[in-house]
Amino acid sequence: MNRNQVLPQVQLSAEAIALKKVDFCAPQSYQGTGFLTMGDMPRLAKEASSLNPGDGFAWQMETHFEDSPGSESRQILELALKGCLHLVCQRCLQDCAVNLDEKRRFVFLATEAEADNYPLEDEEQEPLVASQHFNLLETIEDEVLLSLPLIPKHPEGFCEPHATVFGLEEEDEGLDERENPFNILKNMKKNS
């Protein structure tokens, strides 16, 4: 018999406070959807260049149990995130809307040791340690932070590089005025 047919399905509240303590050790599966504002995710808000009223992330999650060869069934968390955040474009130094649409899959394990020994080759799902007070809000914020681009920038052709960033101002001021650094060595050789 499929374990999902026997276990109750619990609907998670969309409130951010309810996501801070979810009992993933209980014999039940979960599902839920909601929207988290930047105020709900303070670490993410620090990364933003500006906070706009519509900025935030819609989330959707569902858990189910899958059979695992050689051991009992493991709880799987499917998490989908979609939203917008404003960061500084590294090309023009102006605000840049970064849209994210991510899907993640996690497997809940009983202990930290099991999570540490989980095979790194399994790129389909990442290990999490199940807890009676699991902070799903923190996990959502972590996944958004990990999904941010290392170098945020507008799409190609949308903006021009900022002159001071790449030293373009110095080049325009006088290419001929720069002294060749090897001339100094040449003069030193003549004097000795």
Side-chain angles (χ1 to χ4, degrees), residues 87-190:
L87 300 173
V88 174
C89 172
Q90 298 301 303
R91 192 178 296 138
C92 69
L93 300 181
Q94 300 298 316
D95 267 359
C96 173
V98 176
N99 294 306
L100 296 176
D101 189 359
E102 300 290 325
K103 293 185 190 305
R104 297 280 195 264
R105 181 179 164 101
F106 300 95
V107 58
F108 281 107
L109 302 173
T111 65
E112 287 281 343
E114 281 183 63
D116 289 342
N117 293 330
Y118 193 78
L120 294 175
E121 303 84 43
D122 190 351
E123 294 179 12
E124 290 182 18
Q125 54 195 20
E126 297 178 45
L128 291 175
V129 178
S131 161
Q132 291 179 327
H133 303 288
F134 188 85
N135 192 337
L136 184 59
L137 176 62
E138 188 175 87
T139 301
I140 291 171
E141 187 175 17
D142 288 345
E143 289 308 308
V144 173
L145 285 166
L146 289 170
S147 299
L148 294 178
L150 292 176
I151 302 173
K153 55 187 172 185
H154 289 104
E156 197 66 39
F158 185 80
C159 63
E160 293 293 322
H162 193 270
T164 58
V165 173
F166 297 103
L168 297 176
E169 284 182 349
E170 294 175 10
E171 291 179 17
D172 294 341
E173 290 177 0
L175 294 172
D176 298 331
E177 294 179 15
R178 291 185 188 169
E179 186 175 332
N180 184 345
F182 295 105
N183 284 344
I184 298 171
L185 292 174
K186 182 177 162 184
N187 292 336
M188 287 176 64
K189 188 174 180 183
K190 285 183 183 177

Side-chain angles (χ1 to χ4, degrees), residues 38-47 141:
M38 297 303 287
D40 296 326
M41 300 178 283
R43 292 179 294 146
L44 188 59
K46 287 181 186 176
E47 296 294 321
E141 187 175 17

Side-chain angles (χ1 to χ4, degrees), residues 28-96:
Q28 56 196 14
S29 56
Y30 294 91
Q31 66 180 16
T33 59
F35 185 83
L36 296 171
T37 65
M38 297 303 287
D40 296 326
M41 300 178 283
R43 292 179 294 146
L44 188 59
K46 287 181 186 176
E47 296 294 321
S49 60
S50 65
L51 298 176
N52 297 330
D55 287 355
F57 288 86
W59 60 271
Q60 181 179 3
M61 64 81 65
E62 183 177 328
T63 65
H64 61 275
F65 286 85
E66 284 185 1
D67 291 330
S68 178
S71 65
E72 62 182 67
S73 298
R74 292 185 171 165
Q75 191 170 24
I76 304 296
L77 166 65
E78 304 274 354
L79 178 64
L81 303 166
K82 188 173 187 173
C84 180
L85 169 72
H86 285 81
L87 300 173
V88 174
C89 172
Q90 298 301 303
R91 192 178 296 138
C92 69
L93 300 181
Q94 300 298 316
D95 267 359
C96 173

